[in-house]
Amino acid sequence: MNYCNIKYFDIANGEGVRTTLFVSGCTNRCKGCFQPETWDFSYGEPFTKEVGDQIISSLSPYYISGLTLLGGEPFEPSNQTALVPFLRRVKETYPDKNIWCFTGFVLEEHLLKDSPKRTVFTDEMLSYIDILVDGPYIESLRNIALQFRGSENQRIIDMNKTREEGRVVLWDKLRR
């Protein structure tokens, strides 16, 4: 897997101060995407153990709320393969830090049932995610006033409550 950027002290891609990893590779290719260069799986630099170590180290200060994954597309099958062992390390090292993930896929359609994007890693990857922002960016539904998302169709899902209740539960801090 390649990544195109890491932002330390990010406040735009999830609640609180975060470290954000932008992965490369996306087959969604949403019209109006804010970073189409990330569609290319070979864009950026290789995601190595050393890069992962640096990100994990960056999460150590008390004021860092957690990690955010976006891209590109974290749930592309080849990205899942690389991200699951990394996310496992993050959760083992910092069980109280939260993980946000932005995906252009829809949870119920692409990640919870058979689809080309569902792999042997999908369930484990979902198990590490606390907040999932799902749905493709739809340019005609663009709304810059939305909290942590770009178009009206996208949802901010509380994955912990979703797992507990067995149904999609939106994040309770959501504001329009």
Side-chain angles (χ1 to χ4, degrees):
M1 177 182 84
N2 278 10
Y3 72 98
C4 59
N5 196 6
I6 300 169
K7 288 187 178 181
Y8 301 100
F9 311 108
D10 184 10
I11 59 169
N13 295 299
E15 186 176 43
V17 181
R18 323 187 56 73
T19 295
T20 301
L21 171 64
F22 293 78
V23 301
S24 295
C26 183
T27 57
N28 290 324
R29 300 177 179 260
C30 299
K31 181 181 178 191
C33 174
F34 77 102
Q35 47 189 26
E37 63 276 5
T38 66
W39 298 349
D40 182 351
F41 285 85
S42 61
Y43 180 73
E45 301 294 325
F47 184 78
T48 63
K49 182 182 182 310
E50 293 75 23
V51 172
D53 291 345
Q54 184 177 348
I55 292 170
I56 288 173
S57 177
S58 78
L59 297 170
S60 68
Y62 75 91
Y63 53 84
I64 300 295
S65 299
L67 172 70
T68 297
L69 303 173
L70 42 80
E73 174 56 62
F75 275 99
E76 287 291 351
S78 60
N79 289 343
Q80 290 181 49
T81 302
L83 286 170
V84 163
F86 170 66
L87 293 176
R88 188 181 307 129
R89 288 178 55 212
V90 170
K91 279 295 189 180
E92 287 170 356
T93 307
Y94 303 109
D96 296 329
K97 304 272 183 175
N98 60 59
I99 297 176
W100 282 54
C101 181
F102 289 72
T103 180
F105 302 127
V106 176
L107 178 65
E108 305 94 295
E109 293 176 29
H110 303 110
L111 304 177
L112 293 181
K113 67 179 187 180
D114 286 340
S115 84
K117 301 308 175 183
R118 186 167 167 75
T119 74
V120 296
F121 298 104
T122 305
D123 288 339
E124 185 177 359
M125 186 161 159
L126 285 169
S127 78
Y128 299 128
I129 295 169
D130 299 288
I131 301 293
L132 182 72
V133 181
D134 83 334
Y137 172 73
I138 299 175
E139 192 171 40
S140 64
L141 298 176
R142 180 176 186 250
N143 182 343
I144 61 170
L146 294 173
Q147 182 183 23
F148 301 124
R149 57 207 197 282
S151 60
E152 295 280 347
N153 62 298
Q154 296 171 317
R155 305 177 295 177
I156 303 178
I157 301 170
D158 183 324
M159 289 301 294
N160 296 317
K161 289 182 180 174
T162 293
R163 286 186 283 272
E164 286 172 17
E165 296 187 23
R167 64 178 182 84
V168 172
V169 177
L170 297 182
W171 186 47
D172 62 8
K173 297 180 182 176
L174 184 62
R175 66 179 197 282
R176 293 256 344 130

